[in-house]
Amino acid sequence: MQTIKIAVQKSGRLNEDSLKILKDCGVSIDNGRDQLRAQARNFPLEVFYLRNGDIPQYLRDGVVDLAIIGENVLFEKGPDLEVVEKLGFSKCRVSLAVPKSAAYDGPLSLQGKRIATSYPNTLAHFLEGHGIEAETHIINGSVEIAPNIGLADAVCDIVSSGSTLFKNNLREVDVIMKSEAVLAVSPKIGGAQREILEQLRFRIQSVLKARGNRYVLMNVPNAQLDAIIDLLPGMRSPTVLPLAEPGWSSVHTVISQDRFWEVLDEVKKAGAEGILVCPIEKMVL
C-alpha cells in the first residue's frame, strides 16, 4: 500500500501543534519516546521527526513528501518549495530589534551597522530591498545577547511575545515578515502520494474551519425573528425551530471567531436570550 511521508519538527511547540492537528484529523500515530520515524495506524502516512532547519532540504531531495514547517524557516532555507496550506498555528514574526537606548528612525538607521541573526537570507533580502549595506553576524541561538556583549548594534530574530527582547534590554523596531505553520510539498512527490495529500488536506481544511468558528444557539421571540436573522452571518441561513413556549423560536447558526463577540452583542440587544455557544469539532462545506 502506498504511503505518504511527512516531516515535523523533532521537538518544541511546533512539534506539539503539528501532532495535534494530525490527531484532530483522525490520524493515530504510534510514536514512542525519541523515535525518529512513526507509522500511522489508520491512515497511509509515516511521520519523520527532523531538525527544523533540515526539513527544507529533505523536501527538496524527496526524502519526505510533505512537511509541517514555519513560513520563516521556509523563506530562509526553501523559498523554492510549494506551500499548499496555511495552518494558522505557531504564529510568530521575524523582526529587527535594537537596544532600548538606541535611536531608530526606520531601516536606513541600519546603514553601516552590525546585525546579529540566525536568518541571514531573510535579513539580506530585507536590507537589499531597502538599499542598505550592513555587516551581518550569523549566530545560531541566543541572538539577543549580541548587542549586550558588543558583537552587534541590532538583531534580526524570531519574535513571539517579545519577552526575550525585553529581558535583554532590546525593543522591536521593524517586522520583516509574519510567519505561521504551513504544509509544504516536495517537488518530487509522486502521483499516488499527491492523492493521499488531497485526502489529508480535506481533513485539515475541515479542522481549520471548525477551529475558526463557533456553533451558537439562542432563544428568540418571534416578533424579533426577522431582525435577528438579518444580523447572523450563517453558512447559508440559520436553522429556526419552534419552542414549546408559544411565540418563541430556537435559532441555530455558525459564527466566525473574528465576528463572534460583535454579533453576540447585536443579537442580545435585539432580544435574543439563553445564548449557548459550542465548539465545533469538524466542519465540512
Side-chain angles (χ1 to χ4, degrees):
M1 182 180 178
Q2 292 284 352
T3 62
I4 197 167
K5 295 173 285 187
I6 186 170
V8 301
Q9 189 181 52
K10 188 176 179 182
S11 60
R13 177 66 182 275
L14 186 54
N15 166 276
E16 295 169 7
D17 289 341
S18 300
L19 295 178
K20 184 178 188 312
I21 196 168
L22 291 174
K23 181 180 178 182
D24 289 347
C25 288
V27 179
S28 300
I29 301 165
D30 293 319
N31 59 312
R33 184 180 177 85
D34 298 325
Q35 249 184 295
L36 297 181
R37 295 171 66 176
Q39 188 74 40
R41 291 197 304 270
N42 57 351
F43 193 81
L45 179 142
E46 186 177 11
V47 180
F48 284 59
Y49 300 94
L50 304 173
R51 285 180 51 200
N52 214 27
D54 294 338
I55 290 175
Q57 193 59 49
Y58 277 85
L59 280 169
R60 200 175 283 114
D61 293 341
V63 176
V64 294
D65 304 301
L66 311 172
I68 297 176
I69 187 170
E71 279 181 290
N72 57 305
V73 177
L74 210 58
F75 187 85
E76 177 68 24
K77 295 191 173 184
D80 55 312
L81 296 168
E82 178 189 6
V83 171
V84 294
E85 204 72 52
K86 291 197 172 190
L87 301 176
F89 56 80
S90 296
K91 292 186 177 182
C92 63
R93 55 197 180 273
V94 179
S95 294
L96 289 161
V98 299
K100 291 179 182 177
S101 59
Y104 187 84
D105 299 316
L108 290 178
S109 300
L110 300 171
Q111 182 69 36
K113 298 298 175 84
R114 300 165 301 161
I115 307 173
T117 187
S118 299
Y119 296 89
N121 295 328
T122 304
L123 175 60
H125 185 269
F126 175 82
L127 295 176
E128 183 180 342
H130 288 84
I132 298 167
E133 292 186 7
E135 182 181 334
T136 300
H137 291 270
I138 302 174
I139 299 177
N140 293 316
S142 302
V143 172
E144 296 85 0
I145 200 173
N148 293 331
I149 61 175
L151 182 62
D153 305 299
V155 301
C156 170
D157 200 21
I158 190 170
V159 178
S160 294
S161 66
S163 61
T164 304
L165 295 179
F166 180 80
K167 290 174 184 175
N168 285 277
N169 205 34
L170 300 174
R171 62 188 175 98
E172 187 177 4
V173 292
D174 250 315
V175 176
I176 293 180
M177 70 170 294
K178 293 183 178 180
S179 172
E180 64 183 83
V182 297
L183 186 65
V185 181
S186 168
K188 297 185 178 181
I189 187 170
Q193 283 72 28
R194 181 73 72 169
E195 289 183 16
I196 300 170
L197 164 62
E198 291 309 314
Q199 294 176 38
L200 183 61
R201 282 187 68 197
F202 171 75
R203 296 190 184 194
I204 288 174
Q205 289 166 357
S206 299
V207 169
L208 294 179
K209 287 187 180 79
R211 288 182 181 180
N213 290 275
R214 291 293 180 268
Y215 190 77
V216 180
L217 302 82
M218 64 190 78
N219 296 332
V220 176
N222 289 345
Q224 297 299 113
L225 197 55
D226 289 341
I228 287 177
I229 287 174
D230 287 342
L231 296 171
L232 298 175
M235 293 169 64
R236 274 194 189 159
S237 62
T239 300
V240 180
L241 301 171
L243 291 179
E245 182 179 345
W248 284 81
S249 294
S250 176
V251 177
H252 301 216
T253 191
V254 173
I255 302 177
S256 71
Q257 287 200 144
D258 294 341
R259 295 199 55 206
F260 179 73
W261 288 110
E262 173 192 344
V263 173
L264 253 58
D265 286 341
E266 291 176 349
V267 298
K268 190 173 183 298
K269 288 177 184 176
E273 298 179 6
I275 301 171
L276 181 64
V277 180
C278 306
I280 303 171
E281 185 174 330
K282 306 290 184 293
M283 189 168 167
V284 181
L285 300 179

